């Protein structure tokens, strides 16, 4: 078996560049879904239920994409066909979702339309997102894998920043940030339109620049035969998964539950703490929605900075755990800062945890999976450690909100506690190469 060749920086960059566009779409979804459904008329105690669909689609779609792409060989590539189809569907749905309140539907019908659009959006985003992780697993050698995922992390955060700030920027240049009751403001609608255009352009760039290996070339660089690749089902794969797969999954459970609560409740929390309002139809609430995009962008910037610092740690597990502790402190500060600009501090701290969450789990797991084969299927199944905690957190969100006093800002404390538990779980991971 041949050693996978070293790739130039730009080849590593091209492998992941489309992720920039995909992440813009994901950022727009993350920062605006609660805002959109609150604007349509959803009760805060029910908001978390709207967040069940995105991870549910992820847990269904990503293993299927991973498994099918393991067995797909076309002249366009192995993973790229799924990337392109997913992006094309995402572009269409991004043009429909923010218009849920503009079609003359009743409140309940508008919410159903929005839910169906959200389901298709997250399905397509997951379909487009998964191939990037698998391309790195397929084509990058162990020596360069951390660098490849770091580039992917940078592009992820850069795309996030752009997606998060779109509504704020469009409001600044004069696009309306308010609308009649039950209608999503034009600033949000145009953010989705422009994000869709950038997404398809970035994906076209990657598909034109990356040439995947054909079956013969793939077999030369990877240790598992095609017969073995075809022989196992998901249950068998999970039964035979290395212990690192499950131990990292434990950390993922508490980490992603915390992030779900951030995406779900930050708009309401910032509106409560900084703008002193809970009325989604009010102008201050929509201003808070724009500012949440800025705060999420600050989080992404903090993640980029911290991602450059993380490789300096000699103890990887210590770096991972410390990052989550810093994020926990950031969450705990949010309810106590009434100045919108001082809110930058906690979100920079949350960005430290986000940097570790983006890079370290896949580094641990892909290293542990060497020689197991089924890289795409395993990474698709590993996505369950991202999706399942979000589904559980979304189901429990309304009840937890009632327990902590009905204030959405209190859910930031809940997220901080979840990060602390995740940080303790890091030390059960076996990080031997």
């Amino acid at each position: 078996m041949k050693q996978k060749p070293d790739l130039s920086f730009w080849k590593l960059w091209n492998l992941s560049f489309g992720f920039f566009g995909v992440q813009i779409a994901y950022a727009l979804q993350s920062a605006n879904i609660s805002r959109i459904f609150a604007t349509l008329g959803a009760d805060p105690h029910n908001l978390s239920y709207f967040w069940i669909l995105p991870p549910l689609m992820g847990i269904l779609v990503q293993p299927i994409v991973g498994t099918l792409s393991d067995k797909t060989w076309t002249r366009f590539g192995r993973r790229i066909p799924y990337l392109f189809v997913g992006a094309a569907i995402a572009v269409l749905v991004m043009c429909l979702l923010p218009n849920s309140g503009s079609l003359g539907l009743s409140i309940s019908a508008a919410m159903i339309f929005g839910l169906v659009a959200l389901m298709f959006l997250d399905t397509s985003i997951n379909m487009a997102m998964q191939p990037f992780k698998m391309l790195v697993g397929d084509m990058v050698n162990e020596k360069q894998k951390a660098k490849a995922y770091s580039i992917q992390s940078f592009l992820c955060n850069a795309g996030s920043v752009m997606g998060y700030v779109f509504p704020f920027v469009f409001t600044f240049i004069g696009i309306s940030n308010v609308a009649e009751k039950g209608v999503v403001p034009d600033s949000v609608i145009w953010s989705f339109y422009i994000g869709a255009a950038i997404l398809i352009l970035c994906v076209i760039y990657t598909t034109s620049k990356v040439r995947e290996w054909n079956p013969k070339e793939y077999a030369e660089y990877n240790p598992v035969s095609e017969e073995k690749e075809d022989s196992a089902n998901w249950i068998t794969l999970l039964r035979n998964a290395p212990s690192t797969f499950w131990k990292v999954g434990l950390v993922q459970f508490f980490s992603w539950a915390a992030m779900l609560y951030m995406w779900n409740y930050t708009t309401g929390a910032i509106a409560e703490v900084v703008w002193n309002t809970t009325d989604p139809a009010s102008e201050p609430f929509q201003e808070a929605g724009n500012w949440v995009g800025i705060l999420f962008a600050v989080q992404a910037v903090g993640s980029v900075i911290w991602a450059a610092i993380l490789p300096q740690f000699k103890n990887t597990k210590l770096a991972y755990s410390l990052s989550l502790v810093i994020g926990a402190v950031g969450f705990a500060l949010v309810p106590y800062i009434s100045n919108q600009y001082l809110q930058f501090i906690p979100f920079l701290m949350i960005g430290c945890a986000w940097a570790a969450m983006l890079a370290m789990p896949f580094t641990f797991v892909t290293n542990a999976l060497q020689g197991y084969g089924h890289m795409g299927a395993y990474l698709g199944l590993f996505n369950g450690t991202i999706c399942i905690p979000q589904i559980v957190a979304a189901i429990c969100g309304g009840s937890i909100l009632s327990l902590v006093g009905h204030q959405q800002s209190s859910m930031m404390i809940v997220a901080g506690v979840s990060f602390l538990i995740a940080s303790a779980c890091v030390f059960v991971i076996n990080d031997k190469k």
Side-chain angles (χ1 to χ4, degrees):
M1 185 186 72
K2 294 182 180 178
Q3 176 68 31
K4 293 178 184 178
D6 286 346
L7 301 179
S8 69
F9 171 84
W10 288 112
K11 286 185 177 180
L12 294 173
W13 175 274
N14 292 340
L15 277 177
S16 295
F17 183 74
F19 204 81
F20 174 79
V22 174
Q23 196 61 30
I24 288 177
Y26 192 71
L28 284 167
Q29 173 186 291
S30 300
N32 293 286
I33 289 305
S34 287
R35 177 182 183 179
I36 288 172
F37 283 105
T39 300
L40 293 176
D43 183 273
H45 292 81
N46 297 328
L47 272 179
S48 65
Y49 299 136
F50 295 103
W51 285 88
I52 294 174
L53 275 177
L56 181 61
M57 290 302 100
I59 201 171
L60 292 174
V61 172
Q62 294 210 25
I64 293 172
V65 171
T67 301
L68 291 179
S69 66
D70 279 344
K71 303 174 183 178
T72 297
W73 300 99
T74 73
R75 67 188 185 91
F76 301 106
R78 191 185 194 194
R79 318 294 186 182
I80 284 176
Y82 297 90
L83 161 63
F84 196 84
V85 171
I89 297 172
V91 166
L92 175 62
V93 181
M94 287 176 72
C95 295
L96 295 175
L97 174 60
N99 289 294
S100 300
S102 308
L103 303 175
L105 303 173
S106 65
I107 292 175
S108 58
M111 286 193 184
I112 292 172
F113 180 88
L115 276 172
V116 173
L118 176 60
M119 179 182 70
F120 278 101
L121 177 59
D122 211 79
T123 299
S124 56
I125 288 176
N126 275 287
M127 189 173 181
M129 189 180 294
Q130 185 70 355
F132 290 106
K133 300 182 181 73
M134 295 185 289
L135 283 170
V136 172
D138 286 346
M139 302 182 70
V140 179
N141 62 38
E142 290 306 302
K143 183 174 66 174
Q144 290 190 302
K145 194 168 287 182
K147 182 178 180 181
Y149 280 125
S150 295
I151 291 171
Q152 199 167 98
S153 177
F154 170 80
L155 289 167
C156 171
N157 283 295
S160 294
V161 170
M162 184 169 287
Y164 289 145
V165 303
F166 272 167
F168 182 87
V169 170
F170 289 148
T171 300
F172 180 78
I173 64 176
I175 296 176
S176 177
N177 191 48
V178 292
E180 61 185 274
K181 187 175 181 179
V183 176
V184 178
D186 285 345
S187 58
V188 177
I189 293 174
W190 277 99
S191 296
F192 275 78
Y193 289 168
I194 300 302
I198 295 173
L199 166 59
I200 197 64
L201 289 174
C202 290
V203 168
I204 289 172
Y205 176 88
T206 285
T207 56
S208 66
K209 291 291 185 179
V210 174
R211 187 189 74 84
E212 293 188 73
W213 290 326
N214 60 39
K216 182 179 178 181
E217 291 170 323
Y218 180 85
E220 290 177 352
Y221 292 110
N222 291 275
V224 181
S225 69
E226 291 302 305
E227 291 76 17
K228 187 176 178 182
E229 285 277 6
D230 288 337
S231 63
N233 58 39
W234 292 349
I235 300 299
T236 302
L237 293 177
L238 289 173
R239 190 184 301 123
N240 295 330
S243 63
T244 299
F245 182 97
W246 300 107
K247 291 175 181 178
V248 176
L250 181 63
V251 180
Q252 292 274 82
F253 183 91
F254 293 102
S255 300
W256 284 94
M259 295 306 296
L260 186 281
Y261 289 142
M262 185 193 81
W263 294 324
N264 196 340
Y265 295 108
T266 297
T267 298
I270 296 302
E272 289 173 0
V273 173
V274 179
W275 271 269
N276 299 310
T277 183
T278 58
D279 179 11
S282 67
E283 184 174 351
F285 188 93
Q286 296 300 334
E287 289 180 11
N290 279 358
W291 195 249
V292 166
I294 297 298
L295 294 176
F296 284 3
V298 168
Q299 173 213 318
V301 171
S303 180
V304 171
I305 295 170
W306 192 248
I309 296 172
L310 280 175
Q312 308 306 315
F313 285 86
K314 293 182 179 180
N315 188 322
T316 307
K317 290 198 293 186
L318 176 62
Y320 194 1
S321 181
L322 177 63
S323 300
L324 294 171
V325 170
I326 293 171
V329 175
F331 274 128
L333 290 174
V334 171
Y336 302 103
I337 299 177
S338 59
N339 182 289
Q340 68 187 91
Y341 296 100
L342 289 180
Q343 285 283 354
F344 288 170
I345 296 172
F347 280 87
L348 281 170
M349 298 174 75
I350 295 168
C352 296
W354 184 238
M357 288 172 61
L358 287 176
M360 292 190 171
F362 286 99
T363 300
F364 282 127
V365 169
T366 54
N367 284 341
L369 287 173
Q370 291 306 307
Y372 278 73
H374 305 279
M375 181 67 75
Y378 266 119
L379 291 183
L381 291 168
F382 184 69
N383 189 63
T385 67
I386 296 174
C387 299
I388 291 173
Q390 292 182 71
I391 293 170
V392 173
I395 292 171
C396 299
S399 300
I400 295 175
L401 178 61
S402 297
L403 288 173
V404 297
H406 305 281
Q407 291 185 318
Q408 295 186 56
S409 55
S410 298
M411 295 300 289
M412 300 297 101
I413 303 293
V414 174
V417 171
S418 190
F419 259 176
L420 284 178
I421 297 172
S423 70
C425 293
V426 167
F427 293 100
V428 305
I429 299 172
N430 182 348
D431 63 345
K432 291 180 180 178
K433 298 297 183 184

